[in-house]
Amino acid sequence: MEAKVTTEQDVLENIHRQIDNYDDIVAEARDATAAEHSMTLREGLRRYPKAIGWSVLLSTAIIMEGFDVVLLGSFYALPQFAKKYGVQAADGTYTVTAAWQAGLSNGAQVGEIIGLALNGWASERFGYRKTMIVSLSAMICFIFIPFFAQNVQMLLAAEILQGIPWGVFQTLTTAYASEVSPVALRPYLTAYVNLCWVLGQVIASGVLRGVLNWDSQWAYRVPFALQWIWPLPILIGCFFAPESPWWLVRTGRVDQARRAIRRLNTNPTEAEINASVALMIHTNALEKSMTEGTSYWDCFRGVDLRRTEIAAGVWAIQNLCGSAFMGYSTFFLEQAGLATSNAFNMSIAQYAIGALGTISSWFLMSHVGRRRLYLVGLLGMFVMLIVIGGMGWISKENTGSQWAIGAMLLCYTALYDSTVGPVCYCLVAEISSTRLRAKTVVIARIVYNIFGIINGVIMPYFLNPTALNWGAKTGLFWAGMCSLCILWTFFRVPEPKGRTYGELDVLFETHVPARRFRKTVVDQFEGDANHGHYRSHQVEDVDSKEKEAFDHIEA
């Protein structure tokens, strides 16, 4: 049975007090909402090619992070790198100690957490465009440190400092993509951020394959130097990029917001520009009426606590569903007898599979939706992890089982990168309120990084022959974690597909259960046309006992 929700009476009264030309704004905002709902993908591509271009340009900065993640992890096995930054072992070979490997790998994550926290403040204070320009300029300078690093301590400093702009890129690009695109294009542009991350890994793997047989120090210096390819062209583009019109409206620069919309759209009429701005003004007023502040603390107050929990949860699941296992497919293939060089080629194929999976998610999301695709992905990965864990009981001398484990991990990668990986970016960008988006996304990504650090510590412990030495049986541990992720997702993650930000605000404010988001009819303007007859929020045609049961389960 279909449900309907409208805005609370006191919220509507508050909105009316905030907006001067109230009736005109409401009428135009209604037109903009109707236009958003009726817009098809083809129409969005035709009308917003410039918005797509600017979003793609900024999101491309994420390639640098994906590039470095593969780069550093692969350098540990590079003899030239180990001789320069490692210590000599008893057998005469050189190696980077386990402690320094952990320090270098986690140094970037520490820097990213610093950058994330700075971005939450800077992007809301100075705007997305200026924050991006400063971060890219800093990155160009910081790349000099690893390129000229004389010891492992300098490398650690480089990883921490480079992590700061990476932290900015991780969240700013997602928020910018969600605010410059219409509803029809939102899932594609936000999921493109995940594709950039995968592309960075593919490029890094190709570069490392190319320098594998070099004997000089350039085997690791050239890959470091290649990081300069990305920041400069993106920086030049950012000087000409339009600011987010939503940010301009939030800061009271309505005329500048109109100019930004004109630059993002193709030949828009004045009526269309006014309608888009009116919807932003009304949504901003609606959110101010619900939560006045825009501090980090406000993300944990009232209805925004639920939104922060969902955003943090879906991003944490990326590290809790067993994705840490994906990087070990070549490990099992080598145990099966695959040559090291061929195992390296297989890692390139794995990242290519991930890129294809992300592209497939664009088509799946438009038909299946975010929530359902996310759940199906988790269920499929749960089954695969059970199978992988079960094969761990077979002797390692059985090469067939090792091939099967490696192949299953490749299938896991394909499923992850077509469901949980890219869908997460869409959910995080859409679930947060517009006024607290930057800070909500930052908090969510910090939670992701924390679990990433934990994974970096426990995975070697699970697989190391001198520690637990679980091997493929580790899949059973991650299957258990994945089952918890499935339960949480089922009860807590809603379906934001096809919703404007104002409609999502009303759904959260009226405490609609996550499972009923998709079928609930929303009117954020109801009662606006007649100020003498405000209607309190309500959920019509829904059995009260059923709603109480939903509320109890979610609580």
Side-chain angles (χ1 to χ4, degrees):
M1 193 174 289
E2 220 174 48
K4 181 176 181 180
V5 291
T6 58
T7 311
E8 290 186 350
Q9 176 179 343
D10 58 339
V11 172
L12 291 177
E13 292 173 345
N14 201 336
I15 295 172
H16 187 215
R17 287 194 294 269
Q18 292 181 53
I19 301 174
D20 295 330
N21 51 338
Y22 185 79
D23 293 326
D24 294 338
I25 290 292
V26 168
E28 290 172 337
R30 279 186 181 276
D31 292 340
T33 301
E36 289 271 17
H37 286 159
S38 63
M39 186 182 296
T40 62
L41 173 59
R42 179 175 296 180
E43 185 182 358
L45 293 171
R46 179 179 60 82
R47 293 185 57 185
Y48 289 89
K50 290 182 283 188
I52 295 170
W54 292 120
S55 176
V56 165
L57 174 72
L58 268 69
S59 297
T60 303
I62 293 293
I63 290 178
M64 288 185 283
E65 186 202 356
F67 185 89
D68 187 80
V69 166
V70 173
L71 208 62
L72 192 63
S74 301
F75 275 167
Y76 298 142
L78 199 66
Q80 302 90 325
F81 183 87
K83 186 174 182 179
K84 177 70 175 178
Y85 300 109
V87 296
Q88 191 171 19
D91 59 0
T93 61
Y94 288 85
T95 181
V96 179
T97 63
W100 274 112
Q101 285 188 31
L104 290 171
S105 299
N106 291 332
Q109 302 237 38
V110 171
E112 286 168 10
I113 291 173
I114 297 170
L116 287 164
L118 289 173
N119 178 57
W121 164 77
S123 60
E124 201 58 36
R125 175 69 176 83
F126 303 107
Y128 297 166
R129 180 175 158 273
K130 290 181 180 178
T131 304
M132 193 71 177
I133 288 172
V134 171
S135 300
L136 288 165
S137 302
M139 177 57 76
I140 292 172
C141 298
F142 293 155
I143 293 172
F144 281 98
I145 303 175
F147 183 76
F148 290 108
Q150 297 302 306
N151 51 51
V152 71
Q153 290 84 356
M154 284 185 69
L155 272 183
L156 177 60
E159 287 299 308
I160 294 173
L161 290 174
Q162 285 184 290
I164 295 173
W166 284 332
V168 174
F169 301 153
Q170 286 174 354
T171 51
L172 187 147
T173 52
T174 305
Y176 185 82
S178 68
E179 294 193 0
V180 299
S181 58
V183 171
L185 297 179
R186 217 162 53 197
Y188 304 96
L189 293 180
T190 50
Y192 174 75
V193 176
N194 184 73
L195 178 61
C196 289
W197 199 78
V198 177
L199 287 175
Q201 295 177 315
V202 173
I203 295 169
S205 297
V207 169
L208 288 166
R209 184 67 181 87
V211 302
L212 199 59
N213 298 320
W214 292 13
D215 293 327
S216 67
Q217 61 179 343
W218 297 104
Y220 58 86
R221 285 200 174 183
V222 167
F224 278 140
L226 288 176
Q227 293 181 94
W228 274 309
I229 291 175
W230 308 105
L232 187 58
I234 300 172
L235 176 62
I236 294 171
C238 285
F239 279 107
F240 301 98
E243 183 55 84
S244 161
W246 283 90
W247 179 80
L248 292 169
V249 167
R250 289 197 295 271
T251 54
R253 308 173 194 185
V254 177
D255 289 336
Q256 292 182 38
R258 287 192 174 91
R259 289 196 291 271
I261 291 171
R262 188 176 285 107
R263 292 188 60 194
L264 293 167
N265 204 335
T266 300
N267 299 322
T269 64
E270 285 300 316
E272 289 173 337
I273 294 173
N274 291 336
S276 296
V277 172
L279 179 59
M280 295 175 188
I281 291 173
H282 190 279
T283 302
N284 186 58
L286 173 64
E287 293 183 358
K288 285 180 71 175
S289 301
M290 295 174 179
T291 305
E292 181 64 31
T294 57
S295 66
Y296 276 111
W297 175 243
D298 289 302
C299 294
F300 300 97
R301 296 174 58 187
V303 70
D304 285 298
L305 173 60
R306 181 186 177 191
R307 302 175 87 154
T308 303
E309 176 217 332
I310 295 168
V314 295
W315 226 331
I317 283 175
Q318 283 196 333
N319 273 324
L320 293 173
C321 66
S323 62
F325 230 160
M326 291 190 297
Y328 291 90
S329 60
T330 53
F331 169 80
F332 292 104
L333 291 173
E334 284 180 349
Q335 284 195 339
L338 192 67
T340 302
S341 59
N342 288 331
F344 218 100
N345 294 336
M346 190 62 72
S347 69
I348 299 175
Q350 178 179 349
Y351 296 130
I353 289 171
L356 292 174
T358 301
I359 294 172
S360 70
S361 73
W362 295 345
F363 303 98
L364 292 171
M365 273 190 285
S366 61
H367 294 93
V368 180
R370 283 59 143 170
R371 169 186 161 87
R372 188 175 298 174
L373 187 58
Y374 201 82
L375 266 173
V376 168
L378 286 172
L379 287 167
M381 289 187 290
F382 170 75
V383 172
M384 290 182 183
L385 289 167
I386 290 288
V387 173
I388 292 170
M391 288 190 289
W393 297 99
I394 301 174
S395 171
K396 291 181 180 179
E397 302 300 322
N398 187 321
T399 57
S401 68
Q402 299 303 307
W403 275 104
I405 292 167
M408 188 63 71
L409 284 172
L410 291 177
C411 295
Y412 179 98
T413 300
L415 182 60
Y416 173 88
D417 280 309
S418 59
T419 56
V420 172
V423 174
C424 166
Y425 287 88
C426 302
L427 287 170
V428 168
E430 293 177 319
I431 292 301
S432 53
S433 67
T434 61
R435 289 175 58 78
L436 290 172
R437 175 167 295 122
K439 292 180 174 63
T440 303
V441 175
V442 161
I443 292 168
R445 188 67 187 191
I446 288 175
V447 171
Y448 167 89
N449 281 9
I450 290 171
F451 282 109
I453 292 172
I454 294 172
N455 281 357
V457 173
I458 65 174
M459 279 304 290
Y461 188 72
F462 278 132
L463 299 176
N464 197 311
T466 61
L468 287 177
N469 194 27
W470 281 9
K473 292 194 286 288
T474 308
L476 297 176
F477 169 82
W478 288 117
M481 296 298 295
C482 194
S483 66
L484 297 178
C485 296
I486 292 168
L487 285 173
W488 179 85
T489 300
F490 182 79
F491 288 111
R492 299 300 290 167
V493 177
E495 177 54 75
K497 177 176 178 281
R499 300 291 191 184
T500 65
Y501 293 128
E503 289 172 336
L504 289 170
D505 290 335
V506 176
L507 285 165
F508 279 108
E509 180 66 14
T510 51
H511 305 288
V512 174
R515 292 170 62 188
R516 301 199 66 88
F517 261 55
R518 186 171 63 88
K519 293 184 178 180
T520 301
V521 177
V522 183
D523 189 344
Q524 74 181 82
F525 312 105
E526 185 154 334
D528 290 356
N530 186 348
H531 312 320
H533 297 86
Y534 292 111
R535 295 175 61 187
S536 299
H537 75 277
Q538 54 190 310
V539 179
E540 300 172 355
D541 299 328
V542 179
D543 185 87
S544 59
K545 291 184 179 179
E546 182 185 3
K547 185 174 186 301
E548 287 176 9
F550 276 127
D551 290 342
H552 175 71
I553 291 171
E554 291 194 351

